[in-house]
Amino acid sequence: MEKTWRWFGKKDKITLSMLRQIGVEGIVTALHDIPNGEVWPLEAINDLKNYIKDAGLRWSVVESLPVSEAIKYGGSESDQLIANYIQSLANLGEAGINTVCYNFMPVIDWIRTDLQYPWTDGTSSLYFDKIRFAYFDCLILNREGAEKDYTPGEMAKVYALDKTITKAEKEQLIDTIIVKTQGFINGNIKEGDKNPVAIFKNLLSLYKNIGRDALRENMKYFLSQLMPVCEEYNINMCVHPDDPPFQMLGLPRIVTDIKDIEWILNAVDNPYNGLTFCAGSLSAGVHNNVPELARKFASRTRFIHLRSTDIFQNGDFIEAPHLEGRGHLIELVRIFEKENPSLPMRVDHGRLMLDDGDKGYNPGYSFYGRMYALAQMDGVIATIKDELKHNINI
């Protein structure tokens, strides 16, 4: 596997020099300054590619070339936005960049309620608290019918929380869920936007009449339009699973489990329509057996995110250490090294440790924590390669 790292461009405090020193081979990045829906100019692509090349690295994966909301809900401007997307892909192909990770999540990307949940050893990690999220959904967002998505017991805890939560905690919850995790790059809501809750509610309204079937058909149409340019330039489109992989906020989510992934790969049955195998996202769904998914979809996987989560009985989940949790990363490395060994992989998130809080450009992305995980996975990969080389029964 090629060892890659998500880097957030020239503004990132983690420099390319630092990454080369710790053994990174490829860079995962994007043109974050280009507004969603606009064409990525070839000149700008080559400028960033050469900047990375001059540091002794290569631009391995685009993450992400964002899919505009109107493409997802099928707005009147959808065809023009798809045409822009195709031109951006052609420009990436001209520059020799051939792997594009994207997602098809409506309105909101990855969802957490806490970006620095403390562990007993002094480190911290991302956390999803189901009750605090339900509080945001029902009593801050006031989404119509939201209470039906939670059990009576969960709603009792939501109303109990309402008696103790402070104004500052409410503001922090809003900032974490719909600003910090979304607005740092290409987000629908950005730092400094006034009344982010109102903006968010307006975005949700765009999907009022869009269910799973409609969203699936819009995705199928989008991908089918892309395949000719992907074939011309050898570009792999690899969809990222929904994070977390279940329905939320009344929005349809269509990349959540084995059946969803099968549908996407079969709906546009082309080798350039592939999967980003994110073990962290998939493991956050109790319904997913992550190694089973890896074995089934190894041949259509084009990019791997090695991270893991643990789920608690109350529905909360937390970013787990890379060698622990429901991601079963050691087993995943065995599967992919055997079935599809040339893939780019990156360790993701992990714990914030030491002075990580001053290092990252994006909330929730560690430096030392990911560096530690990279070293762990490097050792795992080397061991498994040796096992395979000597035909050890694994």
Side-chain angles (χ1 to χ4, degrees), residues 78-95:
S78 175
D79 282 336
Q80 181 58 57
L81 289 166
I82 292 174
N84 290 353
Y85 204 100
I86 290 170
Q87 185 59 57
S88 294
L89 288 178
N91 291 343
L92 286 165
E94 287 283 352

Side-chain angles (χ1 to χ4, degrees), residues 10 12-13 17 37 55 66 101 113 178 190 200 214-215 271 297 315 322 328 348 356:
K10 298 175 185 179
D12 198 330
K13 296 178 183 177
S17 174
C101 171
T113 56
I178 61 175
K190 298 177 176 60
F200 190 70
L215 188 64
F297 298 117
H322 284 75
H328 299 287
D348 203 358
D356 260 335

Side-chain angles (χ1 to χ4, degrees), residues 152-167:
E154 288 168 344
M155 287 307 304
K157 293 178 182 178
V158 167
Y159 291 123
L161 175 61
D162 190 42
K163 296 178 181 179
T164 61
I165 193 169
T166 66
K167 180 181 178 181

Side-chain angles (χ1 to χ4, degrees), residues 113-337:
T113 56
D114 196 328
L115 300 176
Q116 295 190 28
Y117 187 86
W119 289 70
T120 55
D121 62 1
T123 62
S124 65
S125 64
L126 302 173
Y127 192 91
F128 178 85
D129 184 314
K130 188 173 184 180
I131 300 306
R132 294 182 78 83
F133 180 79
Y135 182 89
F136 165 80
D137 190 10
C138 299
L139 300 187
I140 294 178
L141 195 60
N142 292 310
R143 180 173 63 86
E144 184 179 354
E147 294 86 353
K148 297 177 183 178
D149 291 348
Y150 307 97
T151 67
E154 288 168 344
M155 287 307 304
K157 293 178 182 178
V158 167
Y159 291 123
L161 175 61
D162 190 42
K163 296 178 181 179
T164 61
I165 193 169
T166 66
K167 180 181 178 181
E169 287 175 324
K170 292 180 187 179
E171 291 174 350
Q172 183 65 46
L173 199 56
I174 293 167
D175 190 55
T176 297
I177 294 174
I178 61 175
V179 181
K180 278 284 193 301
T181 57
Q182 314 298 319
F184 73 104
I185 49 166
N186 301 109
N188 290 317
I189 299 173
K190 298 177 176 60
E191 294 277 359
D193 281 345
K194 295 181 180 179
N195 202 346
V197 172
I199 297 172
F200 190 70
K201 291 179 74 170
N202 183 61
L203 289 166
L204 290 181
S205 70
L206 297 172
Y207 289 85
K208 185 176 181 180
N209 299 313
I210 304 296
R212 277 174 55 84
D213 289 344
L215 188 64
R216 275 182 163 184
E217 288 306 311
N218 292 341
M219 184 179 189
K220 180 179 178 180
Y221 178 74
F222 167 70
L223 286 170
S224 66
Q225 297 300 300
L226 266 50
M227 289 302 102
V229 73
C230 290
E231 291 171 352
E232 180 179 356
Y233 289 100
N234 193 35
I235 294 175
N236 290 306
M237 292 294 298
C238 39
V239 67
H240 190 289
D242 299 336
D243 188 3
F246 41 80
Q247 312 309 305
M248 307 186 76
L249 296 167
L251 295 167
R253 288 197 154 196
I254 59 172
V255 197
T256 66
D257 59 16
I258 189 169
K259 290 183 179 179
D260 282 349
I261 297 169
E262 280 182 328
W263 187 92
I264 291 165
L265 299 181
N266 290 332
V268 181
D269 191 9
N270 186 306
Y272 293 105
N273 173 29
L275 175 67
T276 294
F277 196 96
C278 180
S281 299
L282 292 168
S283 66
V286 69
H287 53 281
N288 286 327
N289 180 316
V290 182
E292 178 186 347
L293 291 169
R295 281 188 285 269
K296 184 171 183 62
F297 298 117
S299 66
R300 292 288 287 273
T301 295
R302 303 292 178 257
F303 181 35
I304 306 169
H305 289 177
L306 290 179
R307 45 177 283 258
S308 183
T309 63
D310 271 319
I311 305 174
F312 302 107
Q313 288 187 343
N314 62 359
D316 294 1
F317 65 86
I318 192 168
E319 205 77 21
H322 284 75
L323 300 186
E324 301 175 21
R326 300 188 72 256
H328 299 287
L329 299 191
I330 295 175
E331 181 62 19
L332 294 194
V333 172
R334 286 195 175 104
I335 293 166
F336 285 115
E337 279 293 336

Side-chain angles (χ1 to χ4, degrees), residues 376-388:
Q376 287 180 308
M377 299 317 301
D378 204 20
V380 169
I381 291 168
T383 299
I384 289 171
K385 282 183 175 179
D386 192 57
E387 289 175 343
L388 293 170

Side-chain angles (χ1 to χ4, degrees), residues 5-8 12-24 124 322 347-375:
W5 188 284
R6 190 166 189 189
W7 176 70
F8 295 98
D12 198 330
K13 296 178 183 177
I14 301 170
T15 67
L16 295 177
S17 174
M18 293 163 67
L19 298 182
R20 189 177 180 188
Q21 290 175 54
I22 63 173
V24 171
S124 65
H322 284 75
V347 295
D348 203 358
H349 294 310
R351 296 193 190 185
L352 275 70
M353 55 193 294
L354 303 174
D355 63 343
D356 260 335
D358 298 327
K359 289 288 189 295
Y361 174 66
N362 170 41
Y365 280 83
S366 62
F367 175 61
Y368 291 120
R370 281 190 287 169
M371 181 174 70
Y372 175 60
L374 183 67

